[in-house]
């Protein structure tokens, strides 16, 4: 599968509590709703309904510890998905949101120094099978880390909840190891 | 193998595990609390299992929103209580028996050495203090664990901190946490890794200090922290443990990605300056900084030993008239113990406000929040802009000893010279 679209980038620490600001931590999980004020604390210009979504990004490219700072909320991932984000590339990810991303089927892809080859607004193309990332704007390309089979399996099932629902239905939960 | 690899292997029916591998493991206990609990149960209900995997091992705690400060939170709490009741949960620590969930999990023996537990709050890594693997997860993971008694994990890379030397008076485990923060920074070195703490200075730490140290590993960007069980762990758990367990430790030839040695003999009181947790300096650098709010509490530093330190410093003295000092014990048990020990009356005599156990000001959504222009000296765990309320407040993070000594003067002081 090939994903194509525009990238939003940042070299700063993008913290989970800035992606979803305090007043939304207790909101219900809903991709459309959670997307409305996603990134509101990262940049004040996104503290307006659908401001980030309306810029029309497909990819996020970041440096270290993307979505760090430790918040046990899933709104970061559902909000990004609701805003149209289909893949996030970074040097490293904070584990809570890494888990959430896998559980919802949004690829969080490790790509060393990816931030050096992308500027905000660049057109990217990512091949999920070959793991090749191309910057169509400047012609550069790189190989990212592969996505683990388990991650692909969960994504194929439509996320962790559906994955487990199926296992419960089939009576195969006990086989998970 | 390291203690972490052993725990993950034993609980997933494997002989060994390798960092980077994704494994499903058995989960010993699942914690959820007031503000995410209702959503967790809703997710659980959608999975198609009528009952949780074990009613004694799904632990429910009210901590972020009790007592409710707004009608909205009061309504959320009511819905949460209904959800807990509907699932016939054995251990429900609600208002009156409440405490910060992570404190409750350790203090009441719901986490055990060699076992894996998950909780819907980021400081679930506190459980490492007793040699458990404590993992913060979000609501879907918790719902899955409630339904299946299992969770998936990525086997983390592991880093060992070998801590030697002698703890100096007025220096606390929090100072070591902040010191490591300053030493490692948020530059990717510790991200998603397990931090194992060992060595003579860790052996010498009481359980409260071990909890502080493991608690703050998430703030270092790590996956979790862990300390192998010893006699202190056995003695601590014996009266409260909700299950049986075996001793477990890393093998002498276990592999670590890195080993850092720290000598605490030279460690002094340490402060993290506002907005960036890894902007850490020795207290001397910020001596003289004026502040108007002091806060001791949280799952990081709201334990009896922390309160004892504050009481020792404030005994017979008065908090500076320009400082509002709020202290919130981390659990009802701690509140009772602090009253019995006479600490609470010492604090009240000194001009400290003591509130009923909760997460309080730390998460910025409950009592004691910070307003515009406030400068807060806090023994909590996070100091990013807006953490405790207003974005226009500054938060200095430090140990209870520094908070207490400084509160007497209205400016940051070095407790060793006090």
């Amino acid at each position: 599968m090939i994903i194509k679209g525009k990238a939003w980038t940042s070299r700063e620490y993008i913290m989970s509590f800035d992606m979803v600001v305090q007043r939304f931590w207790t909101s219900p999980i809903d991709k459309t709703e959670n997307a409305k004020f996603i990134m509101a604390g990262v940049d004040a210009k996104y503290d307006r309904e659908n401001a980030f979504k309306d810029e029309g990004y497909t990819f996020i490219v970041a440096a270290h510890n993307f979505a760090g700072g430790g918040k046990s909320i899933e709104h970061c991932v559902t909000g990004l998905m609701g805003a149209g984000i289909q893949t996030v590339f970074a040097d490293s990810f904070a584990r809570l949101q890494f888990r959430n991303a896998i559980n919802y089927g949004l690829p969080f892809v490790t790509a060393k120094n990816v931030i050096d080859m992308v500027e905000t607004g660049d057109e990217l193309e990512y091949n999920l099978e070959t793991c090749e990332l191309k910057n169509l704007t400047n012609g550069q390309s790189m190989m990212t880390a592969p996505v683990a089979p388990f991650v692909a399996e969960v994504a194929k099932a439509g996320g962790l909840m559906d994955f487990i629902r199926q296992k419960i239905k089939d009576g195969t939960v006990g086989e998970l190891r | 193998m390291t203690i972490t690899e052993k725990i993950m292997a034993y609980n997933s029916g494997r002989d060994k595990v390798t960092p980077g591998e994704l494994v499903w493991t058995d989960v010993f206990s699942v914690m959820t609390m007031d503000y995410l609990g209702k959503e967790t149960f809703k997710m659980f209900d959608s999975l198609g299992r009528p009952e949780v995997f074990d009613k004694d091992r799904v632990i429910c705690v009210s901590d972020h929103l009790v007592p409710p400060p707004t009608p909205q939170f009061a309504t959320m709490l009511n819905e949460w209580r209904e959800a807990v009741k509907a699932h016939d949960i054995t251990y429900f620590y609600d208002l009156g028996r409440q405490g910060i969930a992570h404190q409750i999990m350790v203090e009441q023996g719901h986490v055990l050495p060699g076992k894996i537990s998950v909780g819907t709050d980021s400081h679930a890594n506190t459980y490492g203090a007793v040699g458990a693997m404590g993992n913060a997860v979000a609501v879907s993971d918790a719902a899955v664990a409630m339904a299946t008694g299992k969770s998936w994990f990525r086997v983390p890379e592991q880093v060992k901190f070998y801590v030697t030397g002698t703890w100096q008076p007025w220096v606390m485990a929090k100072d070591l946490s902040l010191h490591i923060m300053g030493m490692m920074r948020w530059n990717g070195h510790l991200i998603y890794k397990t931090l194992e703490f060992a060595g003579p200075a860790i052996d010498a730490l009481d359980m409260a200090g071990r909890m502080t140290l493991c608690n703050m590993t998430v703030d270092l960007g790590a996956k979790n922290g862990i300390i192998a069980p010893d006699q202190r762990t056995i003695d601590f758990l014996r009266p409260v443990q909700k299950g049986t367990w075996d001793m477990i430790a890393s093998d002498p030839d276990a592999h670590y990605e890195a080993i850092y040695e720290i000598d605490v003999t030279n460690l002094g009181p340490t402060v993290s300056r506002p907005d960036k947790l890894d902007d850490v300096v020795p207290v001397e650098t910020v001596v003289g900084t004026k502040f108007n709010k002091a806060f001791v509490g949280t799952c990081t530093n709201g334990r009896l030993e922390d309160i004892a330190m504050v009481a020792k410093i404030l005994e017979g003295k008065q908090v500076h008239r320009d400082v509002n000092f709020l202290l919130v014990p981390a659990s009802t048990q701690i509140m009772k113990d602090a009253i019995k020990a006479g600490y609470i009356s010492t604090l009240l005599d000194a001009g400290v406000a003591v509130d009923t156990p909760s997460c309080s000001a730390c998460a910025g959504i409950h009592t004691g929040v910070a307003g515009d222009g406030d400068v807060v000296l806090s023994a909590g765990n996070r100091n990013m802009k807006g953490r405790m309320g207003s974005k226009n407040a500054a938060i200095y993070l430090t140990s209870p000893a520094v908070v207490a000594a400084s509160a007497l003067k209205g400016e940051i002081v070095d407790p060793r010279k006090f």
Side-chain angles (χ1 to χ4, degrees), chain A residues 13 15 17 22 26 29 64-65 69-70 72 74 93 95-96 98-100 102-103 150 161 165 173 176-177, chain B residues 13-14 22 43 46 121-122 136-141 150-152 186 191-192 223 363 382 384 386-387:
Chain A
Y13 298 139
M15 308 306 278
F17 45 78
Q22 225 152 18
T26 52
I29 304 289
H64 266 299
N65 200 14
S72 272
E74 308 185 4
F93 296 96
R95 64 166 284 277
L96 266 167
F98 179 76
R99 286 189 76 86
N100 292 337
I102 289 176
N103 290 348
F150 164 75
M161 295 298 283
R165 269 180 208 119
V173 163
L176 289 171
R177 66 187 288 269
Chain B
R14 286 171 169 78
L22 297 177
M43 291 263 194
S46 79
D121 184 87
S122 55
V137 296
V139 295
S140 350
D141 281 311
K150 287 171 184 280
S151 195
W152 69 266
W186 273 347
I191 303 216
Y192 221 126
K223 170 178 166 56
R382 292 180 186 157
M384 56 288 230
R387 168 70 182 179

Side-chain angles (χ1 to χ4, degrees), chain B residues 59-80:
Chain B
I59 316 302
C60 293
V61 189
S62 302
D63 60 2
H64 281 66
L65 310 179
V66 286
T70 64
Q72 180 212 351
F73 283 163
T75 307
M76 278 181 72
L77 278 164
N78 290 340
E79 292 166 350
W80 149 246

